[in-house]
Amino acid sequence: MPRRKRPIYSNTYRKRRRWLLVAAVVALLAAVGLGGWLWSQRRTGVAKYAVRGVVVSQSDGNADFQALQSEGLRFVYLKGTQGASFFDDTYSTNYEQATGSGLAVGVYHYFSFDSDPAVQARYFATKVGKNLGTLPIGIQVAFYGQYANKPPKKAVVAAKVRAFIVELQRYTTHPFVLMGSKQVLSDLTEVASSAPRWQIGGHPGKQAQYWQSGTLKAAGTDYTAVAYLATTKAFKAQLTN
């Protein structure tokens, strides 16, 4: 009985089908790998820490603090004052709403090299009053404007911030945290050495308890993102009544 002859394209068809199957498997593995990579990217930076929060000021508009808490954030820092004459327009409203949201609340002052430190401290105490929240008062020091290209000498920075702290402690015994870039924090090494540090940008150094980097999207809005770098237990231990 004569053997049936296969079409000349039979082997080609089988090879093509095998190639398509291999290509499909490779594409699937690539998709899974890409998905894993994207997920890992979402969990880097501030997002990978258990205790996360945001910084809020009048430039963020009306914040939904209850929604922030519902999305897993643990704390919020509100801008209170800047220099000796600026009071955040939304501070009072934000403070009232944030304290009822379940979030731990802190307030910070943006330090000015153009105003007397003692006057700034008195202004902060007058405008914020007893609405200090349960987190340490933030003292943010930055080399802004003309100081960005020509920062003050280390001794000058330390002396001015120390003067602010001394005056501030006349009004409150509330703890505080020093906020700034690695360069700024290095200039403040000998200022209130027992106070926690809040590093802005860069890779967090060993001295940092807080790290501010990038943004977190919460309740449909991008906020300045902050992480507390130690444990949840340690975070709770620093809260005041």
Side-chain angles (χ1 to χ4, degrees), residues 65 78 90-101 105 131:
F65 296 101
L78 308 175
T90 59
Y91 179 75
S92 298
T93 300
N94 282 342
Y95 186 85
E96 181 179 355
Q97 294 179 356
T99 52
S101 68
V105 179
N131 294 334

Side-chain angles (χ1 to χ4, degrees), residues 156-226:
V156 173
V157 175
K160 286 181 175 290
V161 174
R162 189 178 289 113
F164 177 88
I165 292 171
V166 169
E167 185 66 19
L168 181 65
Q169 290 178 329
R170 293 182 57 195
Y171 299 93
T172 179
T173 58
H174 205 85
F176 58 90
V177 54
L178 294 176
M179 309 163 65
S181 65
K182 272 189 176 181
Q183 180 183 356
V184 167
L185 294 181
S186 68
D187 286 350
L188 299 175
T189 301
E190 298 179 2
V191 177
S193 58
S194 62
R197 265 48 178 174
W198 172 317
Q199 183 179 314
I200 299 175
H203 185 75
K206 294 181 179 180
Q207 85 284 3
Q209 283 77 44
Y210 288 85
W211 178 40
Q212 178 179 319
S213 178
T215 60
L216 283 175
K217 183 177 286 294
T221 301
D222 287 327
Y223 293 95
T224 299
V226 188

Side-chain angles (χ1 to χ4, degrees), residues 19-138:
W19 182 87
L20 290 174
L21 179 60
V22 171
V25 171
V26 171
L28 177 61
L29 292 175
V32 171
L34 178 60
W37 182 83
L38 290 174
W39 174 253
S40 70
Q41 295 306 297
R42 291 180 60 188
R43 302 303 297 173
T44 58
V46 167
K48 72 180 180 181
Y49 292 94
V51 183
R52 303 183 304 279
V54 293
V55 177
V56 175
S57 69
Q58 65 184 44
S59 63
D60 296 302
N62 297 320
D64 186 341
F65 296 101
Q66 194 65 56
L68 293 175
Q69 192 273 341
S70 297
E71 293 191 19
L73 299 183
R74 302 294 297 273
F75 66 93
V76 59
Y77 261 86
L78 308 175
K79 184 172 184 178
T81 55
Q82 178 170 331
S85 60
F86 176 86
F87 181 54
D88 190 280
D89 289 339
T90 59
Y91 179 75
S92 298
T93 300
N94 282 342
Y95 186 85
E96 181 179 355
Q97 294 179 356
T99 52
S101 68
L103 292 166
V105 179
V107 55
Y108 74 96
H109 169 79
Y110 191 101
F111 187 83
S112 171
F113 290 102
D114 300 305
S115 302
D116 182 271
V119 175
Q120 292 184 61
R122 290 195 293 272
Y123 183 73
F124 174 85
T126 299
K127 301 301 290 186
V128 173
K130 296 181 178 180
N131 294 334
L132 297 172
T134 56
L135 288 167
I137 297 168

